[in-house]
């Protein structure tokens, strides 16, 4: 098969376990070849072998709880050993911990690989790759997948085993104490905080971080790794998952609930009242923290954020930069702005991917929770809650997302043509005006007969879809906007508009 088809932006992703009619395309055989491309990239493009006195690369490998993890890991190990690589097998790990394997001096990995497919169903898996300078980019993955032939068989490598989560957890607890400005071993004593790991790799956080800091973690759930994800998909952007942690918080009468995705690069929280703090609300909480520490900072988000979020950030003295969806895109934009001398401390997507400048520009779900934990003693002393921090953030009355499959052969050209044509359509409409501040698709503000809100039409990053998001502050007005847009979309026969027809009740 063409290994290039496994590229998923800046990751590698595919089907690792045959499922119904889905044929596995990310098998140990494929992964062994990909390992050759990785070594070519590290040696020939990154010149990392030249920096080692022995000339031998050191690569760390970790994985989440997926059932295909062990076989894919062994394929990587076998290939690397044949290529004279020193391998560290970290076993169960998280994506942020694997990046830290390149930073912790006791490991000093030239590169680290996390075997994960994030929140996707159990039969998927994938590879995320880091060096000391950060995550691999889209162009790096393309290079790797184009250079999978001809390994340099010069000598045998070696394999050692360590558990990185102990060191990662200790580092995190140290950072939390420093953030609280305390030397107290148990600064979270008196707090009841529960964790929902969804049977992914995040269960460590309850015992190794929260309990170590003194928190009561009774009521935590689904901490044991289980790659079949029997309880719910580990995904802070999933309604079922969020309902599960809400119920657990209320049942346990906890002060806070924490939920992670499978590989812990995303997270969200639920406060004591059962209020979900994710998407725009999580951005608002983190923006409040960042702007208190770094007044005037810019904050990069992806494009489909509420208009009220922009007003909220500006009211706190910051500036929102709406950018292209995709966690690497928003992170790279943050890096670019800082390189230009524009103070930018946070990049975050509505999906929960959040990276801080102070934390290696790394999207780390556990570090997000760490930043929130640092606030808790102060909030308790003041008699306030996380919800109080964002009480001035106005919530939209209606939000809706529709996805239209593009049936045309050239998906991107067709989708971009629809977006261009919509620009012309909007220009002839009363009550609609294109928002000039957008880097992705077309964002349109609506008013008068369409209420007060906006809609955004953009290409999906990885699927043959156009994504339409609609938000309004007046009840019933999303329907009016959709009715108007239906007249536009009906001229495009290569769009599957079933979701729009369903939303309109036709």
């Amino acid at each position: 098969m063409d290994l290039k088809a496994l590229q998923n932006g800046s990751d590698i992703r595919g089907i690792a376990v045959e499922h119904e009619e889905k044929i596995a395309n990310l098998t140990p055989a494929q992964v062994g070849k990909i390992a050759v491309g990785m070594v070519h990239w590290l040696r020939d493009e990154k010149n990392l072998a030249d920096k080692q006195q022995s000339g031998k690369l050191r690569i760390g490998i970790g994985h989440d709880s997926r059932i295909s993890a062990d076989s894919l890991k062994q394929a990587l190990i076998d290939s690397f050993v044949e290529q004279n690589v020193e391998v560290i097998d970290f076993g169960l790990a998280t994506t942020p911990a694997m990046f830290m394997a390149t930073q912790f001096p006791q490991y000093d990995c030239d590169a680290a690989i996390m075997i994960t497919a994030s929140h996707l169903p159990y039969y998927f898996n994938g590879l995320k790759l880091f060096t000391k300078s950060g995550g691999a980019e889209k162009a790096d993955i393309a290079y790797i997948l184009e250079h999978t032939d001809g390994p340099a068989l010069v000598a045998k490598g070696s394999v050692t085993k360590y558990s990185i989560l102990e060191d990662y957890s200790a580092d995190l607890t140290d950072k939390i104490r420093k953030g609280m400005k305390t030397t107290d071993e148990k600064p979270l004593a008196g707090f009841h905080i529960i964790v929902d790991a969804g049977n992914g790799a995040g269960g460590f956080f309850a015992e190794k971080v929260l309990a170590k800091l003194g928190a009561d973690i009774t009521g935590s759930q689904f901490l044991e790794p289980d790659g079949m994800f029997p309880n719910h998909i580990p995904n802070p952007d999933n309604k079922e998952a969020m309902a599960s942690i809400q119920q657990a918080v209320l049942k346990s009468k906890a002060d806070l609930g924490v939920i992670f995705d499978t590989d812990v690069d995303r997270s969200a929280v639920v406060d004591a009242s059962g209020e979900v703090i994710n998407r725009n609300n999580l951005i608002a909480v983190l923006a409040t923290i960042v702007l208190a520490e770094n007044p005037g900072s810019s904050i990069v988000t992806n494009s489909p954020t509420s208009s009220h979020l922009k007003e909220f950030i500006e009211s706190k003295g910051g500036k929102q930069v709406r950018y292209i969806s995709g966690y690497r895109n928003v992170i790279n934009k943050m890096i670019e702005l800082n390189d230009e001398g524009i103070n930018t401390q946070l990049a975050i997507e509505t999906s929960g991917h959040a990276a801080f400048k102070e934390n290696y520009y790394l999207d780390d779900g556990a570090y997000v929770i760490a930043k929130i934990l640092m606030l808790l003693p102060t909030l308790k002393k003041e008699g306030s809650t996380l919800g109080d921090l964002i009480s001035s953030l106005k919530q939209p009355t209606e939000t809706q997302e529709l996805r239209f499959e593009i049936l045309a052969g050239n998906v991107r050209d067709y989708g971009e043509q629809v977006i261009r044509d919509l620009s012309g359509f909007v220009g002839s409409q009363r009550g609609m005006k294109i928002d000039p501040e957008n880097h992705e698709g077309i964002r349109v503000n609506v008013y008068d007969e369409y209420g007060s809100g906006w809609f955004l039409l953009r290409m999906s990053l990885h699927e043959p879809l156009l994504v339409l998001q609609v938000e309004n502050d007046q009840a019933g007005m999303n329907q009016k906007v959709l009715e108007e847009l239906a007249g536009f979309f009906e001229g495009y026969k290569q769009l599957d508009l079933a979701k729009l027809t369903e939303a309109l009740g036709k």
Side-chain angles (χ1 to χ4, degrees), residues 78-126:
D78 292 346
S79 182
F80 287 147
V81 168
E82 287 296 314
Q83 298 177 78
N84 194 28
V85 171
E86 181 183 343
V87 178
I88 302 180
D89 176 0
F90 287 110
L92 185 73
T94 68
T95 293
M98 289 313 301
F99 169 74
M100 292 305 294
T102 69
Q103 306 297 315
F104 289 154
Q106 63 268 42
Y107 302 123
D108 193 28
C109 292
D110 297 296
I113 298 164
M114 179 67 181
I115 304 172
T116 182
S118 188
H119 62 280
L120 291 180
Y122 77 91
Y123 47 88
F124 283 90
N125 217 327

Side-chain angles (χ1 to χ4, degrees), residues 12 79 91 104 106 142 147 174 199-200 215 219 255 307 335 345 376 378 427 466 487:
I12 292 166
S79 182
F104 289 154
Q106 63 268 42
H147 294 78
D174 286 346
N199 302 112
D255 298 305
S307 296
I335 293 170
Q345 294 290 326
L376 292 188
T378 301
L466 276 171

